[in-house]
Amino acid sequence: MLLVVILAAVIWGVGAAMGRSRESRLKLLGVLLGAVIGVNLLLPDGHPLREATGATAAPWLLLTGFVLLVFGYGWGVKYLRGRSAAVQDTPIPQSGSFSETELNRYARHIVLREVGGAGQKALKNAKVLVVGAGGLGAPVLQYLAAAGVGTIGVIDDDVVDNANLQRQVIHKDRNIGMPKVFSAQAELEAQNPFVTVHPYNRRLDDDIAATLIAEYDIVLDGTDNFDTRYLVNRACVAAGVPLVSGALSQWEGQLSVFDPAKGAPCYQCVFPQAPAAHLAPSCAQAGVIGPLPGVIGSMMAVEAIKVITGAGAPLRGQMVMYDALYGENRVIGVSKRDDCPVCGTPS
Ligand SMILES: [Zn+2]
């Protein structure tokens, strides 16, 4: 018996001295116990080794049962704790309440004086529609989801194309040929399981614009065609929903918050009519530097967060213009037009 105790102590001490983990030393003790039981079961009565290890296997078998019981209980408790943690981590459907994981995730927002717990709650309760899941839509969607905007709608009828991937970083090579809204949805849900994404795999047209936009608190438009821009603007003005709008060309980008309900102009006040096609070529025709949509789209996401949380002064009545080629920024004032056919007061 004493021999076994000494052997066990030696295994434990030498293992510790060699820097072996507690777990690996426990395993070695298990092997020793197994060997002792083997000796007592297999060797004949009176064998010196059997005499030295207790002469009978019974106490060792009892010890084995006891150890298994203790470890089994420990593992069981650990498993149940893991399960309840996993349950706690799943998004909580009640609006405005946060799980521990969410509080931890949004901690850098919550410590900001301008956002705080109330602002983060407003983000969680917000419903944001993103028109276009392309160059500007990519960073807009990614940052809004990461920031914890609770409900994100995305509408686009396009599929992921190889030539999109130079700048539309939300889409991956493996998703070429997939509708953009589904490719985007998968990325957003992978990034933040606490947000709900509504994909609309269709073009925004007159049939649905008014109904769809009225369901959301704020709209971000990053499309590259003027018909859609004017349509989005009309529907936003009609529903009294603020519109964060951005545009790009080659090395230049611009953005503004169009919000006539708060005294700011609408898109049509600033751009009364679409420019001739040759004056406003698309990205496909004119080219665009890859990170530019990232710059402007990220600024659009910032504006949306400011509008939702009430932080700072959103770009209402102001337009930021960024020239990437020379690293220059300009902010110009833009005004509401009384004779605007969309938001003007009818005379
Ligand atoms: Zn207007």
Side-chain angles (χ1 to χ4, degrees):
M1 205 72 134
L2 187 66
L3 175 69
V4 180
V5 175
I6 291 170
L7 273 175
V10 167
I11 287 174
W12 194 260
V14 171
M18 287 169 65
R20 291 300 183 90
S21 69
R22 195 168 162 266
E23 203 165 285
S24 68
R25 281 180 281 155
L26 282 173
K27 276 181 192 158
L28 284 174
L29 290 186
V31 171
L32 174 68
L33 188 59
V36 169
I37 291 171
V39 160
N40 281 282
L41 287 178
L42 301 173
L43 293 181
D45 272 348
H47 191 283
L49 198 54
R50 206 175 148 179
E51 290 300 317
T53 55
T56 165
W60 301 116
L61 285 170
L62 256 168
L63 180 65
T64 308
F66 179 71
V67 167
L68 287 178
L69 213 70
V70 168
F71 276 91
Y73 175 76
W75 284 323
V77 168
K78 219 170 171 183
Y79 170 74
L80 287 175
R81 274 197 194 138
R83 271 195 55 164
S84 76
V87 168
Q88 277 168 13
D89 280 359
T90 51
I92 294 170
Q94 302 146 328
S95 71
S97 60
F98 292 104
S99 66
E100 281 298 313
T101 309
E102 284 175 289
L103 287 175
N104 175 262
R105 179 169 298 211
Y106 306 130
R108 308 302 188 275
H109 271 167
I110 293 168
V111 296
L112 288 175
R113 189 167 50 86
E114 296 82 359
V115 179
Q120 193 62 46
K121 204 177 269 188
L123 288 171
K124 188 182 172 84
N125 291 336
K127 298 181 77 183
V128 177
L129 179 68
V130 178
V131 184
L136 287 169
V140 159
L141 288 163
Q142 286 173 309
Y143 275 111
L144 292 181
V149 168
T151 307
I152 300 175
V154 52
I155 181 162
D156 199 312
D157 68 340
D158 217 355
V159 296
V160 179
D161 182 84
N162 183 45
N164 298 148
L165 301 184
Q166 157 257 18
R167 64 197 179 284
Q168 300 182 15
V169 292
I170 198 170
H171 305 301
K172 306 293 179 246
D173 187 76
R174 64 175 181 274
N175 292 340
I176 288 173
M178 185 192 247
K180 283 185 178 177
V181 290
F182 299 132
S183 161
Q185 179 186 23
E187 285 299 309
L188 299 183
E189 288 173 350
Q191 212 284 339
N192 191 349
F194 300 101
V195 305
T196 304
V197 181
H198 297 303
Y200 307 99
N201 182 25
R202 56 171 296 172
R203 199 179 181 82
L204 188 76
D205 55 27
D206 275 314
D207 294 340
I208 56 154
T211 332
L212 184 65
I213 284 173
E215 285 176 26
Y216 287 87
D217 305 320
I218 178 165
V219 173
L220 290 96
D221 180 16
T223 50
D224 60 358
N225 84 80
F226 285 96
D227 289 344
T228 306
R229 285 176 174 277
Y230 286 118
L231 172 63
V232 170
N233 181 59
R234 285 196 301 274
C236 282
V237 173
V241 170
L243 167 63
V244 181
S245 181
L248 304 169
S249 177
Q250 298 186 322
W251 295 84
E252 289 179 14
Q254 61 188 47
L255 75 147
S256 184
V257 177
F258 297 111
D259 194 1
K262 293 267 166 69
C266 78
Y267 181 79
Q268 192 132 6
C269 290
V270 181
F271 303 101
Q273 44 185 270
H278 69 279
L279 291 176
S282 68
C283 286
Q285 298 162 313
V288 60
I289 192 70
L292 183 63
V295 175
I296 302 298
S298 301
M299 292 176 84
M300 290 169 71
V302 171
E303 292 305 312
I305 289 172
K306 282 159 62 185
V307 170
I308 294 165
T309 59
L315 288 170
R316 293 188 179 101
Q318 289 187 307
M319 179 172 285
V320 167
M321 308 178 93
Y322 170 63
D323 182 343
L325 208 48
Y326 297 96
E328 288 174 355
N329 267 313
R330 271 190 302 149
V331 183
I332 60 167
V334 286
S335 328
K336 204 168 181 314
R337 289 159 52 118
D338 288 340
D339 61 347
C340 172
V342 177
C343 74
T345 33
S347 51

